């Protein structure tokens, strides 16, 4: 079966067509600047990328351009839409209603819309993508794969906030986490590499990219994760501040004459390593600035690594043990310096890194030494494949 995987953002759309039998990517690409002007990136397996500037006022036009590209007579991966057996949609927030992937129905779409206040930038875009596909491919089964679902195994002591209980009961105020599809895929892959049952390992996955989170996976279940009600909680990220005293919001509102919304925009889009460094949210730029003596760039990287290490250490305690650490996503897969700095803090847990093995980029690699008490791996994430697998399992 050929599965079309759709990942809709507020102004972008990533896609892949995957042959579920061989798990080979037949084509992939990206729609950018939706609602601004529009750009389609398309790449069939074995060929160079094709970039087309084309108007995309809404996600409807973006989906139409994707369909046109993948069925193009010359470079299309498929001859017609009839070769698509199912569509898998990434949906960011499933709240407590969805603890696993589901076949999409009108009722499911309404539930996703109702959860939009918990992910206002993502869930509405996800719904637009679903409806656009339904319009263009009526009758093709579709599946929603939720970022939050993997974390629904967290115990109450991990996901509850110490606020009046009524806010949980009435408003759903609790930790939900994110990046669940990535954490699930990487933790399962780690078990495969190690050669031990998934339900026998204590693994910590560090998904480190512009958005970043750490998850404790105890015997195959997420038992704690760093992101919270929204993706703002937890690690310092590219432009997000991560954990912060809630009183800072009121303080800045009064001191700088800002609204709550304006402060949260600053926390989400102007903070993190970009805000501290004043340089960039891209770690390549930060390390380059560090090499040139930029003290604030060094501070930003130091803060990031320190926060990641603190979370890993606390989750090792929470699980009462640790077998494996897995680094993934853009920074985790490609930045050996950041991995080294994080693991240096974790030497107290018996973590030892092989410097030569750690000099790797975007490849699956064991980077711990033979005498390290904890196995450490770099494992590239593959959320699209995970979504395809979930889709096939349901349809």
């Amino acid at each position: 079966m050929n599965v079309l995987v759709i990942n809709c953002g507020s102004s972008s759309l990533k896609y892949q067509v995957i042959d579920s039998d061989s798990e080979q990517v037949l084509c992939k690409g990206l729609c950018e600047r939706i609602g601004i002007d529009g750009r389609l990136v398309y790449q069939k397996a074995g060929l160079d990328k094709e970039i087309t500037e084309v108007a995309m006022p809404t996600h409807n036009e973006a989906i139409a351009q994707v369909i046109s590209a993948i069925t193009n007579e010359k470079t299309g991966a498929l001859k017609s839409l009839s070769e698509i057996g199912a569509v898998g949609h990434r949906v960011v927030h499933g709240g407590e209603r969805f603890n696993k992937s589901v076949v999409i129905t009108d009722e499911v779409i309404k539930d996703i819309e109702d959860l939009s206040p918990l992910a206002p930038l993502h869930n509405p875009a996800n719904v637009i993508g679903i409806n656009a596909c339904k319009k263009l491919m009526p009758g093709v089964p579709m599946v929603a794969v939720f970022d939050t679902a993997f974390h629904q195994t967290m115990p109450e002591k991990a996901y509850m906030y110490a606020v009046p209980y009524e806010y949980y009961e009435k408003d759903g105020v609790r930790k939900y986490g994110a990046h669940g599809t990535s954490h699930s895929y990487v933790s399962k892959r780690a078990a495969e590499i190690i050669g031990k049952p998934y339900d026998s390992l204590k693994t910590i996955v560090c998904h480190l990219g512009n958005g970043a989170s750490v998850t404790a996976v105890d015997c195959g279940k997420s038992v704690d994760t760093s992101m919270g009600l929204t993706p703002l909680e937890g690690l310092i990220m590219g432009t997000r501040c991560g954990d912060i005293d809630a009183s800072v919001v009121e303080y800045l509102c009064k001191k700088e004459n800002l609204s709550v919304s304006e402060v949260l925009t600053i926390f989400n889009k102007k903070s993190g390593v970009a805000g501290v460094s004043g340089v960039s949210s891209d770690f390549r730029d930060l390390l380059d600035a560090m090499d040139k003596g930029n003290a604030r760039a060094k501070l930003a990287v130091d803060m990031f690594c320190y926060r990641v290490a603190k979370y890993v250490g606390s989750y090792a305690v929470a699980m009462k043990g640790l077998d494996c650490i897995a680094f993934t996503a853009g920074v985790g897969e490609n930045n050996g310096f950041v991995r080294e700095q994080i693991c240096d803090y974790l030497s107290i847990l018996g973590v030892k890194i092989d410097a030569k093995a750690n000099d790797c980029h975007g490849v699956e690699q064991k980077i711990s030494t033979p005498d390290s008490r904890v196995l450490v791996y770099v494992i590239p994430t593959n959320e699209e494949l995970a979504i395809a697998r979930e889709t096939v399992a349901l349809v």
Side-chain angles (χ1 to χ4, degrees):
M1 179 192 297
N2 294 322
V3 179
L4 173 61
V5 176
I6 296 290
N7 180 353
C8 276
S10 56
S11 63
S12 66
L13 183 157
K14 292 192 291 185
Y15 64 93
Q16 287 190 10
V17 176
I18 297 174
D19 179 341
S20 65
D21 295 326
S22 64
E23 296 196 337
Q24 295 299 305
V25 177
L26 304 182
C27 66
K28 62 182 179 180
L30 172 70
C31 295
E32 299 178 288
R33 299 174 63 82
I34 299 171
I36 303 172
D37 41 34
R39 178 183 299 122
L40 172 71
V41 180
Y42 171 78
Q43 184 175 26
K44 182 179 179 180
L47 299 180
D48 293 333
K49 288 182 180 178
E50 300 175 18
I51 300 177
T52 307
E53 306 294 333
V54 58
M56 297 179 189
T58 71
H59 286 73
N60 289 303
E61 288 81 12
I63 295 286
Q65 290 297 329
V66 169
I67 298 302
S68 177
I70 65 179
T71 57
N72 181 280
E73 285 187 8
K74 293 183 178 179
T75 59
L78 306 176
K79 293 180 180 179
S80 70
L81 281 182
S82 63
E83 294 183 48
I84 295 176
V87 183
H89 292 268
R90 178 206 180 202
V91 179
V92 168
H93 219 300
E96 289 188 325
R97 301 183 198 182
F98 300 103
N99 61 6
K100 58 185 178 181
S101 302
V102 295
V103 174
I104 294 173
T105 62
D106 289 341
E107 184 179 358
V108 168
I109 294 173
K110 183 179 182 306
D111 286 340
I112 295 171
E113 290 175 328
D114 290 344
L115 290 164
S116 289
L118 295 175
L121 294 179
H122 295 92
N123 273 34
N126 300 151
V127 170
I128 290 171
I130 291 169
N131 285 330
C133 286
K134 283 184 65 180
K135 182 178 179 180
L136 291 167
M137 291 176 279
V140 176
M142 301 190 188
V143 169
V145 180
F146 299 91
D147 269 8
T148 52
F150 182 61
H151 302 302
Q152 284 297 300
T153 53
M154 287 190 293
E156 284 184 305
K157 63 183 179 183
Y159 70 70
M160 286 295 296
Y161 292 125
V163 296
Y165 197 77
E166 64 190 89
Y167 296 128
Y168 166 66
E169 292 180 306
K170 291 192 308 177
D171 305 316
V173 175
R174 53 158 284 182
K175 175 183 285 194
Y176 291 99
H179 295 144
T181 305
S182 176
H183 287 295
S184 174
Y185 174 84
V186 172
S187 58
K188 289 172 182 174
R189 181 60 189 146
E192 291 174 358
I193 296 169
I194 295 168
K196 291 187 177 180
Y198 185 47
D199 60 4
S200 72
L201 293 173
K202 297 178 183 292
T203 301
I204 293 176
V205 179
C206 300
H207 179 108
L208 309 180
N210 191 53
S213 61
V214 175
T215 292
V217 184
D218 192 356
C219 298
K221 295 181 178 180
S222 170
V223 294
D224 209 342
T225 192
S226 58
M227 285 182 168
L229 175 74
T230 74
L232 184 59
E233 184 183 354
L235 303 180
I236 295 166
M237 306 178 213
T239 61
R240 296 186 186 118
C241 63
D243 294 338
I244 196 167
D245 183 345
S247 299
V248 175
V249 177
E250 182 186 30
Y251 179 81
L252 288 179
C253 285
K254 292 179 178 179
K255 193 76 173 177
E256 300 291 336
N257 193 30
L258 298 168
S259 68
V260 171
S261 179
E262 287 172 325
V263 172
L264 290 179
T265 296
I266 291 168
F267 284 178
N268 274 290
K269 297 183 178 181
K270 298 180 180 180
S271 300
V273 294
V276 173
S277 70
V279 173
S280 175
S281 62
D282 192 309
F283 274 75
R284 291 167 293 189
D285 297 334
L286 294 176
L287 295 186
D288 184 56
M290 279 177 55
D291 291 341
K292 295 175 181 176
N294 188 313
R296 281 174 54 185
K298 182 179 185 305
L299 173 62
V301 174
D302 287 346
M303 290 171 65
F304 177 85
C305 296
Y306 177 65
R307 182 73 62 86
V308 175
K310 282 208 303 181
Y311 263 97
V312 173
S314 68
Y315 286 170
V317 172
M319 293 192 295
K320 300 179 182 178
L322 178 60
D323 298 308
C324 174
I325 299 168
F327 289 98
T328 194
V331 177
E333 294 171 22
N334 295 290
N335 200 309
F337 177 80
V338 168
R339 294 192 298 258
E340 179 186 5
Q341 297 304 302
I342 294 168
C343 289
D344 183 57
Y345 284 108
L346 303 175
S347 60
I348 188 66
L349 300 177
V351 173
K352 295 182 181 180
I353 295 300
D354 182 321
K356 185 176 180 180
N358 188 44
D359 186 21
C360 63
H361 308 275
V363 295
E364 203 167 84
Q365 177 76 48
K366 179 182 177 182
I367 62 171
S368 52
T369 61
D371 62 338
S372 177
R373 291 208 301 269
V374 178
L375 295 168
V376 185
Y377 289 91
V378 175
I379 301 177
T381 190
N382 195 334
E383 293 170 288
E384 287 77 15
L385 177 57
I387 291 170
R389 287 173 174 173
E390 291 279 324
T391 300
V392 171
L394 283 171
V395 304

